[in-house]
Amino acid sequence: MEIADILFPEGVLPHLKVTSKKQALQELSRRAADVTGLEQRAIFDVLLERERLGTTGMGDGIAIPHGKLPALDRLYAVFARADRAVEFDAIDDKPVDIIFLLLAPESAGADHLKALARVSRLLRDKGICEKIRGADSVDAIYALLTEATASNAA
């Protein structure tokens, strides 16, 4: 699985303007609804439910909210870089400015876990995150996310 298989340029938000975790999840849900054709509220509810189990803030300013929806036919992703880091209850208690949303069908099983692992590996690369934080456009961020995973897979 490559990032380019699940994330498209229309799913990249380079200047997310939010002040809270809830607001960030709402905005990501709105964009995910546009990309998937599903209801924004259904996506938001799944994300909130997952956050209640434990934070998806993995530290170093990064969060990977995720969830499964029965109406999906494949994996989808939405990426956002917040203009200002927001409190996300991350494991290191630091605010988050890089958010990679991952949505999977109920039946995804191992594919969902593989995608989470791939995204997590990518975002643990401090060099990539530094470049993402310095990028200003959809195209630049999309290229960083998709080219990094393609070259890492080679």
Side-chain angles (χ1 to χ4, degrees), residues 90-141:
I91 59 171
D92 63 358
D93 290 324
K94 292 181 181 171
V96 163
D97 64 338
I98 291 178
I99 308 169
F100 198 110
L101 169 65
L102 190 61
L103 298 173
E106 278 289 336
S107 60
D111 288 341
H112 177 68
L113 295 176
K114 286 178 190 173
L116 275 171
R118 172 64 71 118
V119 170
S120 178
R121 264 194 315 276
L122 171 68
L123 296 178
R124 285 189 196 285
D125 182 326
K126 293 190 186 314
I128 293 290
C129 288
E130 194 175 301
K131 288 176 183 174
I132 288 169
R133 287 183 171 111
D136 218 22
S137 71
V138 168
D139 291 340
I141 292 173

Side-chain angles (χ1 to χ4, degrees), residues 16 38 46 49 64 66 77 84 86-88 90 98-99 115-116 132 138 140 149-151:
L16 187 65
L38 298 182
V46 163
E49 187 178 311
I64 309 175
H66 55 277
R84 303 183 114 203
V86 296
E87 184 54 47
F88 214 90
I98 291 178
I99 308 169
L116 275 171
I132 288 169
V138 168
T149 55
S151 64

Side-chain angles (χ1 to χ4, degrees), residues 4 60 80 83:
D60 293 325
D83 284 345

Side-chain angles (χ1 to χ4, degrees), residues 1-5 118 122 128 142-154:
M1 192 254 359
E2 300 297 329
I3 299 295
D5 295 335
R118 172 64 71 118
L122 171 68
I128 293 290
Y142 183 76
L144 285 165
L145 291 169
T146 56
E147 290 169 13
T149 55
S151 64
N152 287 346

Side-chain angles (χ1 to χ4, degrees), residues 21-83:
K21 176 180 181 174
K22 181 180 179 186
Q23 203 176 36
L25 293 174
Q26 286 172 325
E27 289 301 316
L28 287 162
S29 296
R30 182 173 294 124
R31 182 59 58 100
D34 292 342
V35 171
T36 64
L38 298 182
E39 289 292 319
Q40 175 187 344
R41 187 67 203 201
I43 296 167
F44 181 68
D45 288 347
V46 163
L47 296 177
L48 277 185
E49 187 178 311
R50 171 57 188 86
E51 289 296 324
R52 283 190 201 105
L53 297 175
T55 185
T56 57
M58 61 184 252
D60 293 325
I62 299 161
I64 309 175
H66 55 277
K68 291 184 176 181
L69 292 144
L72 288 179
D73 58 347
R74 63 178 189 79
L75 291 159
Y76 286 92
V78 173
F79 178 87
R81 193 197 61 220
D83 284 345

